[in-house]
């Protein structure tokens, strides 16, 4: 029977957490009395994760496993799961039970009410440092500003997506897809379900500070072309300031206040650099257009159409 729900679980070195997750999610999903699949995506684990998954898959047909040749990252793993899922509703979730499995039926309820995307919203985050919470809040604000996207606060990858949204997202040609941004970008009918984020069930976080920064950087580039416009802005500001300086110097000279020659060097240098920045800015504008073309995102998405099939 075709699965109605697909749960996507990216896993990286999670040999202890997988059995705990499996035991927790099974009763919750069974209670729904509808067919489902558990798609584990092994993101190049170096521990015993793959064997643990093989064993599970052996005894339970609903467990499906996709295994990467190396660590490609959580985002890539989730999208791979999307591409291989068949459910009418698809739910990516962390394996460490920080996202409580009990929230899944609540998300499904919202989906049945007609929502296409249901964000899991953390009201509290247990076992996470002040540093992590503060930096992620700052980062979200920054991303929202530069991308112009209305990304909801305190949401992660734990969400429910209707099949039509999944189809739209997997059909995007770009390589670097960032779920938190894209799920706001696609639009559709969205809502939230609140939950308290637990502490990890087992093991350590798989995100080092370095990995977090890398993800942050890549998502900035993926969601916005703002950095490319900086050069032009810097050039214009620098140019205006140096022209103001020149005018001031000339006025001073007219008033017989003679400045040392070295003083004239500053606006001269900034003016030259500004010209350079402005031209670099032009290059970036074209680069930006090219980049956007290469990304090849659809320019619009038709969520529903009426009467077209009637002739
Ligand atoms: N994960 C992954 N690939 C990675 C890093 C993490 O598939 O390179 C998975 C990990 O196994 C977990 C989820 O992504 O299921 C979230 O990771 P983690 O709990 O370490 O992140 P945190 O909750 O600390 O932000
Ligand atoms: Mg976690």
């Amino acid at each position: 029977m075709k699965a109605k729900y697909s749960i996507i679980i990216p896993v990286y070195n999670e040999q202890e957490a997988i059995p705990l997750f499996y035991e927790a999610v099974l009763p919750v999903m069974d209670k729904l009395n509808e067919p489902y699949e558990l798609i584990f995506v092994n993101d190049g684990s170096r521990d015993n994760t793959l064997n643990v998954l093989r064993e599970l898959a052996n005894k339970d047909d609903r467990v499906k496993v996709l295994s990467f040749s190396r660590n490609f990252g959580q985002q890539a793993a989730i999208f791979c799961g999307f591409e291989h899922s068949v459910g009418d509703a698809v739910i990516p979730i962390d394996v460490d039970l920080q996202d409580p499995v009990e929230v899944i039926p609540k998300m499904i309820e919202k989906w049945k009410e007609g929502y296409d995307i249901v964000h899991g919203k953390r009201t509290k985050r247990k076992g996470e440092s002040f540093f992590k919470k503060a930096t992620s809040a700052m980062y979200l604000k920054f991303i929202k500003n530069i991308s112009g996207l209305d990304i909801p606060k305190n949401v992660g990858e734990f969400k429910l997506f209707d099949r039509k949204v999944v189809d739209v997202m997997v059909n995007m040609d770009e390589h670097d897809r960032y779920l938190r941004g894209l799920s706001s970008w696609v639009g559709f009918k969205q809502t939230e379900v609140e939950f308290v984020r637990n502490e990890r069930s087992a093991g350590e976080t798989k995100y080092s500070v370095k990995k977090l920064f890398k993800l942050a950087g890549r998502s900035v580039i993926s969601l916005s072309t703002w950095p490319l416009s900086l050069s032009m802005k810097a050039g214009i500001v620098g140019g205006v300031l140096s022209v103001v300086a020149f005018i001031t110097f000339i006025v001073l000279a007219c008033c017989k206040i003679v400045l040392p020659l070295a003083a004239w060097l500053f606006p001269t240098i900034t003016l030259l650099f500004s010209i350079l920045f402005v031209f670099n800015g032009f290059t970036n504008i074209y680069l930006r257009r090219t980049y956007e073309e290469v990304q090849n995102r659809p320019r619009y998405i038709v969520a529903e159409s009426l009467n077209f099939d009637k002739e």
Side-chain angles (χ1 to χ4, degrees), residues 10 12 14 43 71 96 98 132 197 200 205-206 211:
Y12 177 55
E14 302 279 13
D43 185 13
N71 181 246
D96 55 14
Q98 282 198 280
K132 185 159 183 176
R197 188 157 156 100
R200 231 177 194 282
T205 176
K206 303 299 178 282
K211 218 168 174 172

Side-chain angles (χ1 to χ4, degrees), residues 102-155:
E102 297 75 31
V103 178
I104 297 176
K106 293 185 190 157
M107 290 179 160
I108 289 176
E109 234 171 78
K110 289 280 174 199
W111 174 67
K112 287 186 170 166
E113 282 172 26
Y115 288 99
D116 300 310
I117 301 179
V118 186
H119 302 273
K121 187 183 175 89
R122 313 147 176 170
T123 50
K124 254 196 205 130
R125 294 164 77 165
K126 293 186 193 165
E128 281 180 40
S129 66
F130 173 75
F131 175 78
K132 185 159 183 176
K133 283 186 248 185
T135 47
S136 74
M138 265 157 45
Y139 169 68
L140 178 78
K141 210 162 180 189
F142 174 66
I143 274 277
K144 273 174 84 162
N145 275 334
I146 63 165
S147 68
L149 291 173
D150 187 21
I151 304 176
K153 260 192 197 163
N154 292 325
V155 305

Side-chain angles (χ1 to χ4, degrees), residues 51-282:
N51 284 328
V52 174
L53 292 177
R54 280 185 186 134
E55 260 171 49
L56 278 186
N58 247 334
K59 65 170 195 193
D60 187 343
D61 288 346
R62 294 166 303 186
V63 172
K64 300 181 179 171
V65 179
L66 297 155
S67 189
F68 284 173
S69 60
R70 67 167 169 87
N71 181 246
F72 282 95
Q74 183 191 2
Q75 300 290 319
I78 292 174
F79 277 96
C80 172
F82 280 170
E83 275 159 30
H84 291 83
S85 67
V86 296
D88 300 327
V90 183
I91 303 149
I93 184 170
D94 290 357
V95 76
D96 55 14
L97 297 178
Q98 282 198 280
D99 307 330
V101 288
E102 297 75 31
V103 178
I104 297 176
K106 293 185 190 157
M107 290 179 160
I108 289 176
E109 234 171 78
K110 289 280 174 199
W111 174 67
K112 287 186 170 166
E113 282 172 26
Y115 288 99
D116 300 310
I117 301 179
V118 186
H119 302 273
K121 187 183 175 89
R122 313 147 176 170
T123 50
K124 254 196 205 130
R125 294 164 77 165
K126 293 186 193 165
E128 281 180 40
S129 66
F130 173 75
F131 175 78
K132 185 159 183 176
K133 283 186 248 185
T135 47
S136 74
M138 265 157 45
Y139 169 68
L140 178 78
K141 210 162 180 189
F142 174 66
I143 274 277
K144 273 174 84 162
N145 275 334
I146 63 165
S147 68
L149 291 173
D150 187 21
I151 304 176
K153 260 192 197 163
N154 292 325
V155 305
E157 273 73 29
F158 183 31
K159 304 174 199 290
L160 177 148
F161 296 95
D162 184 83
R163 167 56 46 194
K164 62 173 175 274
V165 183
V166 172
D167 287 344
V168 164
M169 291 198 294
V170 300
N171 283 321
M172 290 181 176
D173 276 338
E174 64 191 85
H175 288 255
D176 236 355
R177 287 174 292 195
Y178 178 65
L179 189 63
R180 279 186 221 186
L182 275 189
S183 53
S184 296
W185 184 86
V186 289
F188 292 100
K189 233 181 130 190
Q190 310 203 0
T191 188
E192 292 165 359
V193 164
E194 294 189 339
F195 71 91
V196 174
R197 188 157 156 100
N198 296 321
E199 286 180 39
R200 231 177 194 282
S201 64
E204 299 276 300
T205 176
K206 303 299 178 282
Y207 276 100
S208 58
V209 174
K210 189 178 156 197
K211 218 168 174 172
L212 273 178
F213 270 99
K214 209 172 147 188
L215 180 70
R218 284 172 65 163
S219 57
V220 167
I221 304 287
S222 152
L223 292 176
S224 123
T225 46
W226 167 80
L228 285 177
S229 64
L230 274 187
S231 177
M232 178 66 89
K233 286 174 186 153
I236 291 172
V237 170
V240 168
L241 287 180
S242 44
V243 167
V244 169
F246 270 123
I247 293 171
T248 318
F249 286 5
I250 291 166
V251 170
L252 288 176
C254 291
C255 303
K256 300 251 176 328
I257 303 173
V258 184
L259 292 172
L261 196 63
W264 288 85
L265 273 179
F266 289 107
T268 312
I269 292 172
T270 35
L271 184 65
L272 288 178
F273 268 104
S274 300
I275 293 170
L276 211 67
F277 271 113
V278 168
F279 281 103
N280 185 35
F282 279 118

